Amino acid sequence: ATIHTGPEGHYEVSNLFPGEWVFCALKTQGDSSAQFAVTVSVNEPGWNSIDVQLPAITGVMTGRITYPDGSPVKKARVAVTNLDAQFPRALLAAYVVTDDDGYYTAERLENGMQMQARVGGYQDEAQTGTAFGEIVTIPADNSPVEANIVVANEGVTVRAQMRRADGGPILSGGPLCYLYDSQGRLSGLYFGGGTYSGNIYLYDVVPGEYTLVVTNRGTKKAEVQITVGTENIMSGIEVAIELEDRSSG
């Protein structure tokens, strides 16, 4: 569910079944990343009152994205991953675009957290493969910390298909998918929409070994291992998902 707080910070979520949930707070309505995630327990039917306190967010990360010859990577999407987050949806602490000189600025980052910038993995104007900056710690104040990235590879597109293991229809809302490389780094994301038809697309993937994690509303998490080379992969990767058992809840 996606909700908005009121003028006094109050929120309301309905139609939840008892169990563990994760509350993800967006920094602003214009940000597409969920920086903060808090686990909450819904124990009883009816109204549950749960207050959520967010930490300080004054950190700033800056940097420049270049090709090996030093030329700028223009209009590339840069994601900043919060390595200290405990829930995958909160890993994306910022989501910005480089300017014509290859520079980017990510603001309102959580202070004291270890973070890593990544370029690639999105459909954008830049020709890049996925690449990573050095891991940095966000200062306690608003002093900028620098993380530059040299993009040395051009990646490929990987297409996977999700289906129900029992042959039934996929529930509306679409999947949330993560691609991790052999070092455990978040190398790609895919969010399906309300008209999702079963296809998963991952962009700018460089050669290597990966784990594709697929989640979808009402189903168990599924994982598949994939090997990526220098050619696009448009078939042959299938992820079978199983329904969660809610009979005891």
Side-chain angles (χ1 to χ4, degrees), residues 171 216-220 242-246:
L171 297 178
N216 194 68
R217 184 171 68 89
T219 68
K220 300 177 183 178
E242 299 179 355
L243 293 180
E244 290 183 322
D245 183 5
R246 299 293 187 186

Side-chain angles (χ1 to χ4, degrees), residues 22 24 34-39 81-92 110 113-114 178 180 221:
V22 175
C24 294
Q35 176 153 12
F36 312 110
V38 180
T39 300
T81 300
N82 185 344
L83 301 178
D84 291 331
Q86 299 300 309
F87 180 71
R89 180 65 179 93
L91 288 172
L92 208 56
E110 187 174 351
M113 299 291 103
Q114 283 196 315
Y178 307 92
Y180 294 99
K221 180 176 69 175

Side-chain angles (χ1 to χ4, degrees), residues 123-169:
Q123 283 186 301
D124 53 30
E125 298 179 26
Q127 297 297 314
T128 64
T130 299
F132 299 86
E134 295 294 325
I135 297 173
V136 298
T137 300
I138 303 302
D141 55 19
N142 61 354
S143 302
V145 61
E146 188 175 78
N148 301 316
I149 303 176
V150 176
V151 179
N153 300 92
E154 182 174 345
V156 301
T157 298
V158 175
R159 174 183 175 271
Q161 188 165 30
M162 182 181 75
R163 64 172 181 83
R164 284 251 306 256
D166 61 2

Side-chain angles (χ1 to χ4, degrees), residues 39-94:
T39 300
V40 297
S41 297
V42 178
N43 299 318
E44 301 292 338
W47 291 102
N48 290 256
S49 180
I50 302 172
D51 295 333
V52 179
Q53 184 173 359
L54 303 182
I57 51 170
T58 64
V60 179
M61 180 187 291
T62 64
R64 190 171 188 239
I65 314 299
T66 59
Y67 293 109
D69 63 1
S71 59
V73 180
K74 306 175 183 180
K75 307 303 181 184
R77 299 187 186 186
V78 179
V80 178
T81 300
N82 185 344
L83 301 178
D84 291 331
Q86 299 300 309
F87 180 71
R89 180 65 179 93
L91 288 172
L92 208 56

